Amino acid sequence: MSEKVNSIRILHVDDDPDLAELVSTYLRREDSHFEVVSAGSASDGLDTLAETDIDCVVSDYDMPERNGIELLEAVRERDADLPFILFTAKGSEDIASDAISAGVTDYLQKGVGTDQYAVLANRIRNVVDKWRAEREAERTKRRLEAIAKNSSDAILTVDSTNTIQFVNQATEDLFGYDPETLRGDSLFTLIPERYRDGHRQGMERFLETNDRSLDWTAIEFSAQHREGHEVPVSISFSTFKEGGERKFVGVLRDISERVRMEDELRERERRFRQMAENIQEMVWMTDPTKGEVLYVNPAYEEIWGRSPDALYEDPQSFADAIHPEDRDRVEEILDPQSTGSYEEEYRIVRPNGETRWVYDRAVPVKNEAGEVYRTVGIASDITERREREREFDRVVELLDHTERVADVGGWEVDPKTGDAFWSDHLFELIGWEGDRAPSLEDVVDIYVEEDRPRVEAAVENALTHGESFAIEARLQRSNGEDRWMEIRGDPHVENGEVTTLRGAVHDITERKQRERALHELYDVTSDPDLSFDEKVQALLRLGRRELGTEYGTLSSIHDDEYVFEFVDTDRETIQPGDVVPVSATNCELVASTRQTVVIGDVERDAPEETGRAGFTEWGISSYIGAPVFDTGDVYGTFCFYDTAARADRFTDWEETLVDLMSNWVTVELQRKRTTEQLRDQNEQLSQFASIVSHDLRNPLNVAKGRLELVREEYDGEHIDAVRRSHERMQDLIDDLLALARVGEQMGELERVNPADVASDCWRTVATTEATLKTAISRSVRADESRFRQLFENLISNAIEHGGEDVTVTVGELDDGFYVEDTGVGIPEENRDSVFEPGYSTTRNGTGFGLHIVNQVVKAHGWDIRVTTGARDGARFEVTGVEFSSE
């Protein structure tokens, strides 16, 4: 077939090129639709056929190598129907016979003159038109056969007597009959009996009058199946003539599924109405082109407070009920010109003035032409949901605000998927960039490598055993900064399985830094190997590091002078011993107010102080200083300052740190002052003891000696009275010397065994028939000489008041020891008085023994109390004792 529908492409084969050109010229002149391709031999012609679509071959007979008949035979091997005209000057009956035998389409003998080309052109048109018509008919036949064979619809033809003449294979699928058995059978075989008379009458009327009572397109009725049941079908038929006889062809389609679907649709519609009439949501349908409401269920009245009938009568009332603030927005969506679906939340106002929230969603419905002809929707009353959402939003906002105020981030892990959820503030806490949801692996990997195993173990234990945890670990922020975090996890367990692990992360970096600073502060101030000066210098270094300032100083104030006692700075502008006017410094404020002064930016926070030389000449722009006291007066200041102003004021923690340091300096100064005073008092006591020991004992010894001389000459009761007075004076001198030694400064604490000390004291005290028992094994840290005074006086007190056969027991307590006797005990009403100086229940007692015991206990920082022993005797319990671990 040629490329152009109306063109005819002709292959002209002739070994005479002049003749070939002449034929080509005349043929194109005869018909403009002719396209002539020339070939000089049979071989060239075959090559052309192989490469080009040709509609007709015109060939000479007498040609070298291969004649026209041989060319024809070769062509027929390729195409049995291609038009082939033998156009030759050598004509004979034999050639014509051979040509016909070889399948020539036409035979034409060359003549003289140009008329022969008109004849040739006419022959070519005729054979090509016939060939094309036959090919088209064949294609049509094949298509029809394919349609009939492959169609799922039943196709049949009947004659005017209702006799079936043709059926396709699909008829068997539809009616159960073999196509061969139906051919020649009556059409009534497929028509239920109740339809037959009507069909017969309609057929007769049509054959007589050509009048149709029905539209022959898609008639629906029930056909008869071979097994007796009826099959709903749709039939379209038409009439045609064959051999002068009127015949009919019909196409029958099984519509069982469609009928079933229609029945189902009707059932669905029934159910839809049943549902729509009873649900709480409003269901509606409108015609957007006409602006009509086609359907609305009774829930409209429950939600809108208006009747459905009123809406049918006035569709605009639907929009009129929308809250004025929402109306423009919603009416734009409800515009009939808008053909898209929508979901919208808006408010309506009921006739009683009540405002309700509704959630309205709708979709367009299109017809077969693709045009929107319906809009259906459903509207729900969401007033309560909106209230809950508003409450939920408040709670979320509160939680988020609380997280930020407390600097805490929340998290949750799904044990099954390993997915994790982080609150927004947790993302900020750890510096996580992007909005990708983290996994459980991500959660663990944010912690530094050294701390990661501890976090993994805690999480694994929580997921496996359902145990809560609280640990501290460092995580690395995206900027590389390490931060300390407190991580808490609380698993939720159902039926013995952890379903969710939730927790919180709190940034405790500042707390850890404060703890480190406090530990360092304690280590410095409690180090016995450091002097006061070394401790002050270390505190100034610590303060500068924590506060980030250039200077740290401890200075004293003397009238109008400000003396730098200690200085810590990297600069050389200030040296210890430097003196400046106190009015030049902010420390004057500290001294005058006796309170800590905090200035983050002098110009911003204390512009009235910008006239001081410290600001104008030295450039001190930020300052924090606390007063240091000595015996109630301001000694000076402990302060830190910088030439750079701070963006924010010093924090409460920074102020507290400076206060702690200044308080320690104050205490140390007072302790030093107290130590000096005690040293003076001890010197006075030593002088007193020396006087008592020398100046009182010597006259007493002289008096006692003189009394013995008198006694040799005289004897009487008055001499014995004087002797007893001398002995009492001796006891008083001994107790006063012991009391003076107690007041002396404590010696070095050492490891002392109470049992050994008690035994030694027992041997030095007149114990006669008394008994000592020891039930203590641990040693204590004490000043041994003072400790010995304590036991000597307690043992003497027990023997003095308990009798010569008293039993004294030294025993151990959890935090101390006791001394108990089997004497008469001490009445409860007297127990608060026994430690007072001069108190005694015996005529010869000095009243200083238990007072000395109490002074020794206090000097060690212990406590003592009197109670009743196991055998109603006196029991002295000493607590708060430090036992020796050596």
Side-chain angles (χ1 to χ4, degrees):
M1 193 78 179
S2 62
E3 294 180 359
K4 297 180 180 179
V5 176
N6 295 322
S7 66
I8 297 176
R9 184 173 293 168
I10 304 164
L11 173 61
H12 180 216
V13 185
D14 198 312
D15 60 340
D16 186 343
D18 293 334
L19 182 59
E21 183 180 356
L22 181 62
V23 171
S24 175
T25 300
Y26 273 97
L27 286 177
R28 285 194 293 268
R29 185 177 297 176
E30 288 292 332
D31 195 329
S32 61
H33 294 96
F34 285 171
E35 296 180 19
V36 181
V37 180
S38 299
S41 66
S43 297
D44 292 343
L46 291 174
D47 291 341
T48 302
L49 280 174
E51 299 172 355
T52 308
D53 289 335
I54 299 297
D55 297 311
C56 180
V57 179
V58 177
S59 177
D60 190 16
Y61 171 77
D62 194 7
M63 293 183 294
E65 297 181 1
R66 185 180 295 183
N67 61 30
I69 298 299
E70 292 172 335
L71 173 60
L72 173 61
E73 290 172 347
V75 170
R76 286 292 174 254
E77 290 178 2
R78 298 185 180 186
D79 191 333
D81 299 320
L82 181 65
F84 194 104
I85 298 175
L86 193 62
F87 183 52
T88 179
K90 189 175 183 180
S92 68
E93 291 182 1
D94 292 337
I95 294 176
S97 176
D98 291 341
I100 292 171
S101 298
V104 74
T105 306
D106 203 351
Y107 177 87
L108 182 63
Q109 189 171 359
K110 295 178 182 178
V112 180
T114 60
D115 292 340
Q116 60 179 328
Y117 302 115
V119 175
L120 177 60
N122 186 55
R123 296 281 183 90
I124 291 172
R125 277 192 295 270
N126 290 337
V127 298
V128 171
D129 288 345
K130 179 182 178 184
W131 173 66
R132 287 180 174 176
E134 289 174 350
R135 289 187 65 182
E136 184 62 29
E138 182 62 26
R139 281 196 294 268
T140 301
K141 179 181 178 183
R142 286 197 301 269
R143 291 194 190 103
L144 291 175
E145 288 176 350
I147 291 172
K149 181 178 181 181
N150 297 290
S151 175
S152 60
D153 296 334
I155 302 174
L156 55 82
T157 60
V158 298
D159 61 15
S160 58
T161 64
N162 286 317
T163 301
I164 298 173
Q165 295 188 339
F166 169 80
V167 292
N168 66 344
Q169 187 61 40
T171 306
E172 182 175 8
D173 298 333
L174 184 57
F175 300 113
Y177 291 99
D178 181 81
E180 293 299 326
T181 63
L182 281 178
R183 292 189 183 99
D185 203 352
S186 173
L187 181 62
F188 290 149
T189 304
L190 303 178
I191 299 178
E193 186 172 351
R194 66 180 182 279
Y195 296 136
R196 291 174 184 173
D197 288 343
H199 174 75
R200 184 182 298 107
Q201 293 171 5
M203 177 73 79
E204 291 175 353
R205 182 171 58 255
F206 174 73
L207 292 175
E208 291 177 0
T209 65
N210 279 336
D211 184 23
R212 302 181 185 181
S213 59
L214 294 174
D215 183 0
W216 287 3
T217 303
I219 301 172
E220 295 183 5
F221 71 101
S222 295
Q224 188 75 36
H225 194 274
R226 181 173 176 271
E227 295 180 355
H229 62 271
E230 295 184 2
V231 180
V233 297
S234 170
I235 181 171
S236 297
F237 57 91
S238 62
T239 181
F240 67 96
K241 285 187 177 181
E242 186 179 59
E245 181 182 359
R246 181 70 63 86
K247 295 184 178 180
F248 302 89
V249 60
V251 178
L252 292 83
R253 175 167 297 172
D254 185 353
I255 60 172
S256 301
E257 181 65 18
R258 197 199 76 194
V259 171
R260 184 193 65 77
M261 290 179 65
E262 289 176 348
D263 291 342
E264 184 177 332
L265 183 60
R266 282 190 289 272
E267 176 62 18
R268 287 181 179 178
E269 183 179 357
R270 185 187 67 79
R271 292 177 182 175
F272 166 76
R273 286 188 172 275
Q274 186 179 36
M275 176 195 69
E277 300 295 321
N278 293 280
I279 64 174
Q280 296 180 342
E281 286 78 11
M282 183 192 86
V283 180
W284 53 270
M285 178 186 295
T286 63
D287 182 339
T289 60
K290 299 179 180 179
E292 296 178 352
V293 175
L294 303 178
Y295 175 76
V296 63
N297 68 339
Y300 172 73
E301 186 166 3
E302 293 295 326
I303 299 175
W304 258 255
R306 296 167 171 82
S307 69
D309 290 339
L311 181 61
Y312 290 134
E313 294 175 3
D314 181 13
Q316 181 58 34
S317 63
F318 181 93
D320 292 342
I322 298 173
H323 194 282
E325 295 181 7
D326 299 338
R327 189 173 300 156
D328 291 343
R329 171 172 56 88
V330 177
E331 284 186 338
E332 182 177 350
I333 297 171
L334 298 177
D335 188 340
Q337 303 301 320
S338 177
T339 57
S341 60
Y342 70 84
E343 293 184 34
E344 196 67 34
E345 294 182 2
Y346 53 87
R347 290 163 293 177
I348 60 170
V349 181
R350 293 163 60 91
N352 62 2
E354 179 186 9
T355 299
R356 308 291 292 178
W357 275 96
V358 296
Y359 170 44
D360 190 6
R361 55 271 194 207
V363 294
V365 181
K366 297 180 180 180
N367 56 22
E368 294 180 357
E371 301 167 338
V372 175
Y373 78 110
R374 295 286 187 273
T375 301
V376 295
I378 183 169
S380 310
D381 188 333
I382 60 168
T383 305
E384 293 183 2
R385 192 200 80 189
R386 292 284 296 200
E387 290 294 332
R388 290 194 300 270
E389 288 177 351
R390 189 158 50 246
E391 182 65 24
F392 176 77
D393 290 341
R394 283 198 296 267
V395 171
V396 169
E397 183 180 359
L398 176 61
L399 287 175
D400 183 66
H401 181 71
T402 303
E403 275 194 346
R404 296 178 187 280
V405 171
D407 207 20
V408 174
W411 57 269
E412 178 181 284
V413 172
D414 186 331
K416 292 183 179 179
T417 64
D419 293 335
F421 167 81
W422 290 352
S423 66
D424 290 342
H425 191 57
L426 182 54
F427 276 92
E428 297 174 7
L429 270 180
I430 68 174
W432 186 284
E433 297 178 352
D435 55 1
R436 178 176 66 85
S439 65
L440 181 57
E441 184 177 354
D442 293 329
V443 173
V444 175
D445 285 347
I446 64 175
Y447 294 96
V448 299
E449 188 172 354
E450 295 87 345
D451 298 346
R452 199 173 299 158
R454 185 165 69 256
V455 178
E456 289 177 333
V459 173
E460 180 64 25
N461 190 50
L463 294 176
T464 304
H465 303 293
E467 296 182 2
S468 300
F469 64 86
I471 60 174
E472 295 179 357
R474 291 163 296 171
L475 64 77
Q476 190 172 72
R477 291 170 57 89
S478 57
N479 61 2
E481 176 190 10
D482 286 350
R483 303 287 293 181
W484 273 100
M485 297 291 171
E486 180 183 50
I487 310 105
R488 292 182 177 271
D490 184 25
H492 179 71
V493 181
E494 292 183 3
N495 300 322
E497 182 180 359
V498 176
T499 57
T500 307
L501 178 60
R502 296 187 179 96
V505 175
H506 181 206
D507 190 331
I508 59 171
T509 306
E510 292 185 3
R511 192 191 81 189
K512 297 292 283 190
Q513 291 172 343
R514 294 171 186 176
E515 290 175 355
R516 182 193 62 192
L518 288 174
H519 280 301
E520 188 172 342
L521 175 63
Y522 173 78
D523 291 341
V524 168
T525 57
S526 63
D527 190 342
D529 296 329
L530 295 179
S531 66
F532 173 76
D533 291 359
E534 290 172 330
K535 290 179 180 180
V536 171
Q537 204 67 46
L539 292 182
L540 290 174
R541 285 195 301 270
L542 171 62
R544 280 189 60 210
R545 187 192 69 208
E546 293 298 315
L547 300 174
T549 61
E550 295 178 73
Y551 301 94
T553 64
L554 170 60
S555 303
S556 60
I557 298 176
H558 304 280
D559 297 328
D560 295 333
E561 292 184 337
Y562 184 82
V563 181
F564 292 93
E565 303 286 351
F566 296 88
V567 177
D568 190 82
T569 182
D570 297 329
R571 300 175 179 271
E572 298 180 356
T573 53
I574 303 176
Q575 298 295 327
D578 288 351
V579 179
V580 298
V582 69
S583 60
T585 69
N586 293 316
C587 295
E588 185 181 34
L589 295 174
V590 178
S592 62
T593 61
R594 301 170 64 90
Q595 294 179 348
T596 302
V597 171
V598 180
I599 305 175
D601 183 339
V602 173
E603 287 186 304
R604 180 192 64 209
D605 302 335
E608 67 279 5
E609 304 300 327
T610 55
R612 295 183 184 272
F615 177 79
T616 59
E617 297 180 13
W618 308 332
I620 303 303
S621 297
S622 59
Y623 172 90
I624 180 170
V628 175
F629 298 96
D630 184 15
T631 63
D633 296 327
V634 174
Y635 170 84
T637 60
F638 197 87
C639 57
F640 300 87
Y641 40 92
D642 205 304
T643 56
R646 296 171 70 102
D648 300 315
R649 71 182 301 272
F650 288 93
T651 65
D652 292 341
W653 153 247
E654 291 171 327
E655 184 176 349
T656 299
L657 181 62
V658 174
D659 286 340
L660 287 173
M661 292 178 176
S662 66
N663 289 339
W664 177 84
V665 174
T666 293
V667 170
E668 283 299 299
L669 289 175
Q670 292 176 349
R671 189 182 66 81
K672 289 175 67 178
R673 182 77 66 187
T674 301
T675 301
E676 292 173 355
Q677 292 174 351
L678 287 174
R679 187 180 297 112
D680 293 341
Q681 291 176 359
N682 286 336
E683 290 178 357
Q684 294 174 5
L685 284 172
S686 295
Q687 293 174 2
F688 170 75
S690 176
I691 292 171
V692 170
S693 177
H694 182 270
D695 294 349
L696 290 182
R697 272 182 172 174
N698 284 345
L700 179 61
N701 288 334
V702 172
K704 289 172 67 176
R706 294 290 184 180
L707 182 63
E708 289 299 321
L709 292 175
V710 172
R711 189 173 184 177
E712 291 177 358
E713 298 179 8
Y714 302 99
D715 190 11
E717 61 180 13
H718 295 294
I719 293 177
D720 290 337
V722 172
R723 181 182 55 78
R724 287 194 297 271
S725 296
H726 286 170
E727 290 176 352
R728 178 165 177 74
M729 290 177 64
Q730 183 66 48
D731 291 340
L732 284 171
I733 290 172
D734 291 341
D735 283 349
L736 286 172
L737 287 174
L739 189 60
R741 286 195 294 271
V742 172
E744 293 177 358
Q745 188 173 359
M746 286 277 292
E748 183 178 355
L749 300 183
E750 55 185 322
R751 182 173 177 268
V752 180
N753 190 307
D756 293 342
V757 172
S759 298
D760 290 343
C761 293
W762 189 263
R763 285 190 292 270
T764 61
V765 176
T767 56
T768 62
E769 301 299 323
T771 303
L772 174 67
K773 293 181 179 181
T774 57
I776 184 170
S777 58
R778 292 192 291 176
S779 299
V780 302
R781 290 183 58 78
D783 180 337
E784 185 174 2
S785 64
R786 301 289 188 272
F787 199 58
R788 187 175 294 277
Q789 284 181 301
L790 181 148
F791 271 100
E792 287 177 348
N793 282 277
L794 286 177
I795 292 172
S796 297
N797 183 76
I799 292 173
E800 181 180 351
H801 294 88
E804 296 181 354
D805 61 347
V806 70
T807 297
V808 179
T809 303
V810 179
E812 185 174 319
L813 299 172
D814 290 340
D815 61 342
F817 58 89
Y818 65 88
V819 178
E820 178 179 314
D821 62 52
T822 57
V824 297
I826 300 174
E828 186 173 354
E829 62 271 15
N830 295 336
R831 292 173 184 174
D832 292 336
S833 304
V834 296
F835 297 115
E836 294 178 1
Y839 177 83
S840 178
T841 58
T842 63
R843 185 170 60 86
N844 295 324
T846 64
F848 288 108
L850 292 181
H851 179 65
I852 291 173
V853 170
N854 190 37
Q855 292 300 308
V856 172
V857 168
K858 288 183 176 180
H860 282 83
W862 302 337
D863 295 312
I864 188 170
R865 75 186 186 103
V866 184
T867 184
T868 303
R871 295 171 58 182
D872 296 330
R875 178 183 171 106
F876 293 86
E877 294 183 349
V878 180
T879 57
V881 177
E882 179 185 358
F883 287 101
S884 176
S885 59
E886 299 179 359

